Amino acid sequence: MYILSDDNYSEVDWKSVLPGDIAVYYSKGDAEHSGVVVGKAEPPLYSPLLVSKWGSYAEVIHYFADCPYDCSDVKYYRINE
């Protein structure tokens, strides 16, 4: 996604995500959904807690895999300070 590189974001490992990072759900190479990390990924599951908007529904706080979007290709990004 060009906006991430234009805004100085870099991809981070899913085990290293921190609150404030961005999660982007990809489907067939295209960004389908995104959310903001609000909870650190902790061992043993390393499942980040996100807040995101589900279509016409309200914003939802959820674990990365607990949503209606395909979670098989999720990448995380952090802004470079």
Side-chain angles (χ1 to χ4, degrees), residues 2-72:
Y2 296 115
I3 192 166
L4 293 172
S5 61
D6 286 349
D7 287 350
N8 205 25
Y9 281 82
S10 296
E11 188 172 350
V12 295
D13 181 71
W14 63 279
K15 288 185 178 180
S16 302
V17 298
L18 297 171
D21 291 346
I22 304 298
V24 179
Y25 293 68
Y26 291 92
S27 176
K28 299 178 185 171
D30 292 326
E32 175 184 40
H33 181 64
S34 64
V36 177
V37 176
V38 294
K40 183 178 176 183
E42 299 285 349
L45 299 179
Y46 295 100
S47 185
L49 190 63
L50 309 175
V51 63
S52 67
K53 179 123 172 49
W54 295 0
S56 61
Y57 299 108
E59 288 181 332
V60 179
I61 296 173
H62 60 93
Y63 287 102
F64 91 99
D66 292 336
C67 71
Y69 298 92
D70 181 3
C71 64
S72 62

